[in-house]
């Protein structure tokens, strides 16, 4: 599995990524987490990125390509998931060049389609634990103690760009950049779109696609979906 997650800011890419990691043998590489970790550490890349993000701007391509390229080298796994990168055609082509050299090109792109009014409420309720990248939402995934990470007990923070004004700027720019990306991957026949208002509506669509496309069984080899049940029935008949 060599997967890319696409979707509007706040569409739930982090939540879906966490579920996929939990239920399948896959490593997630999340551009947003990499950026925030570098900002928190005060690295040179982090300082440059912070200036752009404070104004609702996307980080320049060369910075993102450097970050993701280094992370891919550190995570030479058979199964991986990219979340938040690439955002532009130039990034996509640079990524393809990088992956083709190692013989592990993308084989699935998942586009998350969520109504914009739902996304706006999500970002207003969102809190994060920067060191781990864990994401909480007061509406449907709140921390056990308000403002505190469940695992470490450390304080949660709000993202600087999680406010309505900056969100509208990000959304406009995202649409302009994403449409060409969707066309690019659709021509390669590796793009699917999953629609829904909640993560629980969208995740079963993702799970069924992974099971059908990669012939894997989710979580802990337990049969939980109709797709899995059908696969098991076929396998059982063949063994009789």
């Amino acid at each position: 599995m060599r997967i890319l997650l696409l979707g509007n800011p706040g569409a739930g890419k982090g939540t879906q990524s966490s579920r996929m990691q939990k239920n399948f043998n896959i490593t997630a590489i999340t551009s947003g987490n990499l950026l925030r970790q570098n900002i928190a550490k005060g690295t040179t890349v982090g300082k440059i990125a912070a200036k752009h993000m404070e104004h609702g701007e996307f980080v320049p391509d060369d910075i993102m390509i450097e970050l993701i390229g280094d992370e891919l080298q550190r995570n030479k796994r058979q199964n991986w998931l990219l979340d938040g990168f690439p955002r532009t055609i130039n990034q996509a082509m640079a990524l393809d060049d990088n992956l083709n050299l190692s013989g592990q090109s993308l084989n699935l792109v998942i586009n998350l389609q969520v109504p914009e009014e739902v996304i706006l409420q999500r970002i207003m309720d969102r809190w994060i634990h920067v060191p781990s990248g864990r994401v909480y939402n007061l509406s449907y995934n709140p921390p056990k103690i308000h403002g505190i990470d469940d695992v470490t007990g450390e304080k949660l923070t709000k993202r600087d760009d999680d406010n309505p004004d900056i969100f509208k700027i990000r959304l406009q720019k995202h649409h302009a950049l994403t449409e060409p990306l969707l066309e690019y991957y659709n021509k390669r026949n590796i793009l699917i779109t999953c629609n829904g208002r909640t993560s629980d509506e969208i995740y079963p669509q993702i799970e069924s696609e992974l099971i059908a496309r990669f012939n894997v069984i989710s979580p802990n080899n337990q049969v939980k979906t109709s797709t899995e049940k059908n696969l098991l029935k076929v396998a059982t008949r063949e063994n009789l």
Side-chain angles (χ1 to χ4, degrees):
M1 289 182 275
R2 298 184 294 275
I3 302 171
L4 167 65
L5 270 182
L6 294 176
N8 286 337
K13 295 186 293 294
T15 299
Q16 301 300 348
S17 174
S18 295
R19 285 188 167 189
M20 293 166 70
Q21 291 176 73
K22 180 180 179 181
N23 295 333
F24 297 92
N25 180 28
I26 191 166
T27 297
I29 300 173
T30 306
S31 63
N33 289 345
L34 288 176
L35 285 170
R36 286 186 285 275
Q37 288 166 10
N38 276 268
I39 290 172
K41 293 176 181 177
T43 66
T44 300
V45 171
K47 291 177 181 178
I48 296 173
K51 291 181 180 179
H52 291 277
M53 294 174 69
E54 286 170 2
H55 294 90
E57 300 173 351
F58 289 117
V59 178
D61 286 359
D62 57 340
I63 298 297
M64 291 306 309
I65 291 169
E66 178 183 345
L67 272 177
I68 297 298
D70 290 346
E71 193 67 15
L72 283 171
Q73 288 299 316
R74 287 192 290 268
N75 291 272
K76 293 182 179 179
R77 305 288 186 90
Q78 182 178 358
N79 298 323
W80 48 256
L81 165 71
L82 288 178
D83 171 4
F85 179 93
R87 295 181 186 272
T88 68
I89 285 294
N90 287 339
Q91 288 179 350
M93 291 180 175
L95 175 65
D96 282 347
D97 289 342
N98 185 296
L99 295 176
N100 289 337
L101 287 175
S102 59
Q104 52 174 356
S105 59
L106 283 170
N107 49 27
L108 178 62
V109 178
I110 302 172
N111 179 43
L112 307 182
Q113 192 74 34
V114 180
E116 292 180 9
E117 67 272 14
V118 174
I119 294 175
L120 180 58
Q121 187 59 51
R122 284 183 182 179
I123 70 165
M124 297 303 295
D125 290 343
R126 181 166 59 186
W127 290 80
I128 62 170
H129 179 248
V130 172
S132 68
R134 278 185 289 276
V135 179
Y136 297 88
N137 192 286
L138 301 182
S139 299
Y140 58 84
N141 181 38
K144 296 176 182 177
I145 301 174
H146 182 71
I148 301 297
D149 178 53
D150 289 349
V151 178
T152 65
E154 297 171 345
K155 289 184 178 180
L156 301 176
T157 59
K158 291 285 290 181
R159 287 172 48 171
D160 292 336
D161 54 350
D162 275 355
N163 71 67
D165 292 333
I166 291 182
F167 170 76
K168 291 176 182 177
I169 295 173
R170 292 180 67 206
L171 199 58
Q172 290 172 355
K173 293 182 177 181
H174 177 83
H175 285 320
L177 293 173
T178 301
E179 286 304 320
L181 262 187
L182 295 178
E183 292 179 11
Y184 176 76
Y185 288 121
N186 189 46
K187 289 179 181 178
R188 293 176 51 188
N189 296 317
I190 59 173
L191 174 70
I192 67 166
T193 295
C194 299
N195 299 278
R197 296 180 64 87
T198 69
S199 297
D200 287 341
E201 290 179 9
I202 291 177
Y203 180 72
Q205 300 171 49
I206 295 175
E207 185 176 88
S208 294
E209 180 67 26
L210 297 185
I211 292 167
R213 184 180 291 257
F214 300 110
N215 194 28
V216 294
I217 301 297
S218 77
N220 301 320
N221 293 323
Q222 295 177 3
V223 177
K224 291 192 174 183
T225 69
S226 58
T227 302
E228 290 174 300
K229 290 177 181 178
N230 290 335
L231 287 173
L232 183 60
K233 287 179 182 177
V234 171
T236 301
R237 286 198 297 269
E238 291 176 348
N239 289 331
L240 290 177

